[in-house]
Amino acid sequence: MKYGLVLEGGGMRGLFTMGILDVWMEKGGVSFGGAVGVSAGAAFGCNLKSGQMGRGIRYNVKYAGNWRYKSYLSWLLTGDIFGAKFCYDTLPNELDPFDREAFAANPMEFFATATDVETGRPVYKRLRDGGAYDMQWIRASASLPVVSKVVPIGKRRFLDGGISDSIPLRFMEGQGYERNIVILTQPEGYLKEPNDKMTWIRLALRKYPKAVEAMEYRHVMYNEETAYVAQREAEGAVLVLRPDAPLAISHLEKSEEELMRVYNHGREVGERTLEAVRAFLAQE
């Protein structure tokens, strides 16, 4: 039996996910053959494969007020509201080093989901060594439309994976993972509404009509995916972990109290569901 992990994105809501992952690393007895992360799910989830408990919340609290990490000033000066050089070079290589050796040595497969802006379709890239090339894929996965530059990798161009596949459960099942744990960052019953910023998105992505189309369809895609997750949960193939209520945190949140609130709620859910998670992963 192959067990997989699916990590939704959601900006700073991803600290909820990080809280759960840290509980798993702290307590032990939770492991997967593979995982897929979308946007913040990839950016924070990679710490599970490298075994770096506490890293995700640590650097977010420490650098939340640094304009190079996340700010409108960064957007104005660099074109990226989350500064690309700071987030994917300075931070993992100098300020809070990402353990590339541990990442590479861990046999768990780890995929980052990005959207090819020319096709509007998702791409799932398996990350290998946590180096600069992998960081480019995590950057692509987490590059929000309008407030991020399109990320070129090879001959293709990418933006946030959540545009085209917010909850890639079907992808993991297609990779042979028969049972999956899905961590969502929205509460039960959440339905995504049509995007009310499509005028700006059409302007920003005018060179990429397929990406615009994906953004227009995104709420439909997302709601279909949450319905599929619920179906597979009812069939016993999926265990879902989610917040108890809307997390209500800004992408640019700088308050340590607010960052810790979301992270600690993840820890609460992680502690509360730990035995259920272990039992799910023990099924034959």
Side-chain angles (χ1 to χ4, degrees):
M1 186 78 70
K2 291 179 69 176
Y3 293 92
L5 175 64
V6 180
L7 305 174
E8 184 185 7
M12 289 300 106
R13 295 200 311 272
L15 291 176
F16 167 81
T17 300
M18 198 68 251
I20 295 174
L21 302 186
D22 278 353
V23 167
W24 291 351
M25 286 188 274
E26 179 183 314
K27 302 294 185 180
V30 178
S31 62
F32 302 88
V36 60
V38 182
S39 195
F44 296 157
C46 62
N47 292 290
L48 178 66
K49 182 170 164 64
S50 66
Q52 290 179 275
M53 183 180 68
R55 179 175 179 269
I57 186 61
R58 182 174 63 242
Y59 73 70
N60 271 283
V61 167
K62 186 172 183 178
Y63 298 108
N66 190 313
W67 73 267
R68 297 176 299 161
Y69 179 30
K70 53 178 180 179
S71 68
Y72 287 112
L73 180 59
S74 174
W75 183 28
L76 178 64
L77 296 179
T78 72
D80 288 298
I81 203 161
F82 284 83
K85 178 169 177 54
F86 186 86
C87 291
Y88 305 106
D89 181 4
T90 306
L91 183 58
N93 291 323
E94 300 173 21
L95 300 177
D96 199 324
F98 184 66
D99 193 337
R100 292 163 53 182
E101 290 186 5
F103 184 89
N106 188 332
M108 180 181 76
E109 295 184 307
F110 191 90
F111 299 89
T113 306
T115 299
D116 184 320
V117 295
E118 293 176 337
T119 66
R121 301 293 300 164
V123 173
Y124 312 94
K125 181 65 178 179
R126 183 178 177 186
L127 309 185
R128 302 286 182 175
D129 64 4
Y133 182 69
D134 283 359
M135 287 296 159
Q136 276 292 88
W137 280 99
I138 293 176
R139 176 190 169 193
S141 180
S143 288
L144 302 167
V146 181
V147 293
S148 304
K149 294 188 292 188
V150 169
V151 180
I153 302 179
K155 296 182 179 180
R156 302 167 76 179
R157 289 167 171 76
F158 300 92
L159 280 174
D160 194 283
I163 295 171
S164 55
D165 193 353
S166 296
I167 310 168
L169 173 58
R170 286 187 176 92
F171 165 75
M172 287 300 282
E173 291 178 336
Q175 296 298 302
Y177 291 93
E178 302 158 85
R179 294 185 184 276
N180 292 276
I181 291 180
V182 178
I183 301 182
L184 302 178
T185 60
Q186 296 285 10
E188 187 172 8
Y190 173 79
L191 290 174
K192 187 173 287 296
E193 299 290 338
N195 196 311
D196 61 2
K197 297 179 177 61
M198 283 308 304
T199 298
W200 297 106
I201 290 167
R202 291 188 190 96
L203 179 62
L205 299 180
R206 58 191 178 278
K207 295 181 181 178
Y208 308 107
K210 292 294 186 181
V212 172
E213 182 180 336
M215 284 297 298
E216 290 176 329
Y217 176 75
R218 188 184 176 203
H219 65 290
V220 177
M221 172 271 293
Y222 184 90
N223 295 335
E224 286 180 346
E225 290 190 336
T226 54
Y228 181 69
V229 168
Q231 173 193 323
R232 296 297 285 150
E233 182 180 27
E235 293 167 353
V238 162
L239 178 64
V240 181
L241 306 183
R242 53 167 66 88
D244 297 335
L247 295 172
I249 187 168
S250 164
H251 280 41
L252 297 181
E253 183 60 64
K254 301 183 186 305
S255 163
E256 178 178 349
E257 181 179 0
E258 281 298 287
L259 297 171
M260 290 302 301
R261 173 183 65 82
V262 171
Y263 171 77
N264 284 332
H265 184 45
R267 288 194 60 92
E268 290 168 10
V269 172
E271 295 271 7
R272 184 198 315 156
T273 60
L274 182 59
E275 291 310 313
V277 166
R278 285 172 173 165
F280 181 84
L281 296 175
Q283 296 176 20
E284 296 294 337

